[in-house]
Amino acid sequence: MAAARAAEAGHDVTGVHLALSSNPQSYRTGARGCCTLEDARDARRAADVIGIPFYVWDMAERFDRDVVQDFVAEYAAGRTPNPCLRCNEKIKFQALLDKALALGFDAVCTGHHARLADGVLRRSVDLGKDQSYVLAVCTREQLAHAMFPLGDITKAEVRREAEQRGLAVADKPDSHDICFIADGDTQRFLADRLGAEKGRIVDTSGEVLGEHDGAFAYTIGQRKGLRLGRPAPDGRPRYVLDISPVDNTVTVGPREALDVHEIHGERPVWLAEPLTAPYDCEVQLRAHGEVHACTAVLDGDVLRISLRAPARGVAKGQAAVLYDGDRVLGSATIAAALAATALPNTA
């Protein structure tokens, strides 16, 4: 649909499918796929209907290095990565864009649900499908060579228009989960690459409550599958509060202990001008997650974000994306999530 709209607008469009695996059958298919042989065939048929040239570009080696291996390394370090965000950053708007510009193309045009005008990245009109969060890691220079033709219509309208244009993918299910984990078993995928290593599950006092086979199998805020030897004294559920890869320890505790009031982000990327003073705005802490009112300030290379109300289940390694209304200000990678005194609610 993005290609069809771009061609209709008068652009000279070439369709490109990215081959991201040396063994495409190992990637997800059907309702959960996005980069398989099946998807390549769908893309070729769509290009034929639109009337544009079509090519397959092999980026499997780059994808494995910058997305898959990064995913494994982040879990090994006790962080929770977002591979879709990394794919946009390293593949679609770096490797793909660089090759496209070198070949004489002007821009990469994708079907992301986001809006871009005069260099300003904004949320899609379809908030339920908005993808500005996973695009916020791109630089202004990269977005200057990007096009998102679908950000001004809803996903339902995209499907209706695709059907009207005779595109066979009009009813194709959305892709879900992680494309390079074929069976959806992230824990086994990581265990195969990192190896099982038993460690302790402790409470906030350090008392040992149980044992695990690898800290990488846990995420902040997780409640199920903890395999604790006994219930909490008060009978309430316990949640993962911290993951320490150094001593292979998982710390659990009550839900309220997940409350975070301050976030530190590293490697900030600015789509607006970098902050020079504290700025009241909003922050989104995971894809399709809740938006939180906050005050952000840039302290050297660290973005400090103070929340006006606590957020729960904030994981290191995810992106903190700042918004002013529907406009993306910038992003940073969450390096620390702190329980501190919340700002007074001045609303």
Side-chain angles (χ1 to χ4, degrees), residues 44 51 54-55 121 143 152 154 176 181 239 244 281 308-309 315 347:
R44 185 180 297 278
F54 177 79
Y55 298 92
L121 179 65
L143 291 179
D152 62 346
T154 66
H176 293 285
I181 302 179
Y239 300 79
S244 175
C281 54
R308 296 199 172 274

Side-chain angles (χ1 to χ4, degrees), residues 83 271 303 340:
L271 300 183
L303 180 63

